[in-house]
Amino acid sequence: MLRLPPFRFLQPSTAREAALLLAEHGSAAMAVAGGTDLYPNLKRRQFEPKVLVSLRELAGTRGIAANGSLRLGAMTTLTEVERHADVRRRWPALARAAGLVSSPPLRNAGTIGGNLCVDTRCTYYNQTEFWRASIGYCMKKDGTICLVAPGSDKCWALSSSDTAPVMIALGAEATLVGPDGERRLPVAELYGRDGIAYLAKRPDEILTEIHVPDRAGWETTYRKLRRRGSIDFPILGVAAAVRRDAGGVVEDARIVLGAVHTHPVEAVDAQAFLVGKRLDPETIDRAAGIAYKPARPLDNADLSYAWRKRMARIEVARALRELAGLPTGDLPPVVA
Ligand SMILES: Cc1cc2nc3c(=O)[nH]c(=O)nc-3n(C[C@H](O)[C@H](O)[C@H](O)COP(=O)(O)OP(=O)(O)OC[C@H]3O[C@@H](n4cnc5c(N)ncnc54)[C@H](O)[C@@H]3O)c2cc1C
Ligand code: SF4
């Protein structure tokens, strides 16, 4: 049985206190929310913090308020997001993405903030310490080279959050509280460009709130590809959102791919292509052919990377067909 390593467990009551504790202990400390990702990672010694700063009791970081826009406390659980009546009705892609994370017990403990900050993943990294030692480790922890791309000076571990692509497609923003104050930035800017430094925020900053704009007039969806219908992380996520005028012409579009790179990838060329067009089958096929090009899957996740790349094109087309009210194809529905 894998055991947790010893650590000190601190329970501050405000986000600023938590940020000050993280600053004080530096690289020896990590924040923990629901712990559904972090605790298994500690058991595999992917991280070895001496101090854990719990975010569970932070004042004002839990709950959902939907007045025009949506405000989510970062400590709100994924189950609460998935089941909230206003979220389901007005931001259905977000409810769907939250409801597709892992399994019910982990969604009851896992938080929306933790989901946006979840570690990147790779076949050579998400293994026990014993397994990783047997192959000489890799750059992300304890080693010096990337085993997927040995000539690379960066890590290509995959961004694997289900809700991050949706938040970006919806234009959400995040509030971060650090030792010196608070700032608000687009969720898209939360992510770095390396599988190790995958978050662009400072390590002592706490994500406290997520703000999602009113998306009345938009049609949105999220589709997830994985081997099993539950538990598995995405090997591809597609968030899509379009706003059409009364005649069905696309006025604005967002397509964001998950699990294809170290960060969520916005398919900007496909978005631009869709504007001014109707969502007919030919336009959708051409948009999907543009959208999948920035996907860079490597041989470091489940199933073959060439197949995952091909599926990016197919799943973008299915997402757009869903928004257009067209049949999506012969796969079983993504939502039970
Ligand atoms: C078997 C299994 C299957 C899973 N499947 C999926 C899946 O399908 N899709 C998916 O997206 N995830 C999946 N996960 C990962 C995880 O359960 C979810 O991402 C969950 O939402 C993480 O939230 P948490 O509160 O438990 O985060 P934690 O585990 O507590 O933290 C995760 C990381 O985020 C940081 N962090 C957490 N909250 C904050 C905050 N407010 N501010 C700053 N930093 C913070 C922590 O320091 C840590 O680095 C799976 C995990 C397991 C074990
Ligand atoms: S992409 Fe390379 S460096 Fe990153 S976790 Fe995988 S093997 Fe390690």
Side-chain angles (χ1 to χ4, degrees):
M1 186 173 81
L2 297 176
R3 290 183 186 281
L4 282 172
F7 49 77
R8 278 179 67 205
F9 191 75
L10 306 178
Q11 284 189 285
S13 53
T14 67
R16 184 162 148 72
E17 242 179 275
L20 286 168
L21 285 170
L22 288 173
E24 181 191 334
H25 293 282
S27 60
M30 286 185 81
V32 61
T36 61
D37 196 61
L38 188 61
Y39 290 136
N41 289 352
L42 296 188
K43 289 182 178 179
R44 293 187 291 254
R45 304 304 189 262
Q46 287 161 232
F47 300 101
E48 298 177 278
K50 300 286 172 254
V51 176
L52 281 190
V53 177
S54 170
L55 309 181
R56 289 188 84 108
E57 306 299 330
L58 303 189
T61 60
R62 188 148 184 181
I64 301 177
N67 310 312
S69 61
L70 175 68
R71 177 228 165 246
L72 297 167
M75 292 303 295
T76 308
T77 67
L78 294 164
T79 300
E80 288 164 336
V81 175
E82 176 201 359
R83 294 195 181 158
H84 195 275
D86 288 324
V87 179
R88 292 176 83 94
R89 191 168 50 83
R90 295 176 51 202
W91 295 274
L94 177 58
R96 182 188 272 191
L100 285 171
V101 173
S102 188
S103 62
L106 292 187
R107 292 197 293 274
N108 289 341
T111 65
I112 187 73
N115 193 250
L116 290 179
C117 296
V118 73
D119 194 15
T120 51
R121 295 181 62 80
C122 171
T123 315
Y124 295 93
Y125 167 71
N126 294 99
Q127 304 287 351
T128 61
E129 206 277 335
F130 177 78
W131 192 102
R132 290 185 293 113
S134 73
I135 53 162
Y137 302 106
C138 78
M139 200 194 289
K140 187 155 157 75
K141 181 72 170 74
D142 299 323
T144 51
I145 60 160
C146 172
L147 297 168
V148 180
S152 171
D153 61 355
K154 69 172 259 187
C155 164
W156 293 90
L158 293 167
S159 168
S160 301
S161 162
D162 276 304
T163 63
V166 176
M167 291 293 194
I168 295 170
L170 295 176
E173 295 187 340
T175 297
L176 298 174
V177 172
D180 304 323
E182 181 177 312
R183 65 187 175 118
R184 187 162 154 168
L185 76 172
V187 169
E189 291 175 20
L190 202 53
Y191 301 102
R193 292 294 179 267
D194 182 278
I196 299 171
Y198 65 95
L199 291 175
K201 73 174 189 63
R202 285 171 36 176
D204 56 14
E205 283 181 309
I206 309 288
L207 170 59
T208 55
E209 286 184 344
I210 304 114
H211 315 266
V212 190
D214 188 356
R215 281 295 176 233
W218 286 73
E219 295 146 305
T220 66
T221 190
Y222 177 69
R223 293 180 63 94
K224 172 173 182 172
L225 194 64
R226 55 180 160 179
R227 186 185 288 262
R228 297 171 290 186
S230 181
I231 285 283
D232 288 338
F233 279 85
I235 50 173
L236 171 69
V238 176
V242 294
R243 195 184 66 222
R244 291 187 282 174
D245 69 14
V249 175
V250 175
E251 294 176 323
D252 205 349
R254 297 276 181 280
I255 300 171
V256 185
L257 308 177
V260 295
H261 213 303
T262 56
H263 52 87
V265 173
E266 196 169 343
V268 284
D269 292 341
Q271 292 173 175
F273 171 79
L274 282 171
V275 173
K277 301 192 174 64
R278 283 173 208 287
L279 284 184
D280 55 48
E282 192 194 328
T283 301
I284 288 173
D285 280 351
R286 289 179 61 196
I290 301 169
Y292 90 116
K293 289 199 172 139
R296 295 270 179 280
L298 294 176
D299 197 9
N300 61 350
D302 197 9
L303 302 172
S304 101
Y305 66 94
W307 183 79
R308 284 188 276 127
K309 171 118 186 171
R310 279 207 308 278
M311 286 308 292
R313 181 175 193 160
I314 291 168
E315 286 296 328
V316 169
R318 287 184 170 139
L320 293 174
R321 291 179 74 88
E322 193 182 320
L323 297 182
L326 296 166
T328 54
D330 56 359
L331 277 191
V334 286
V335 178

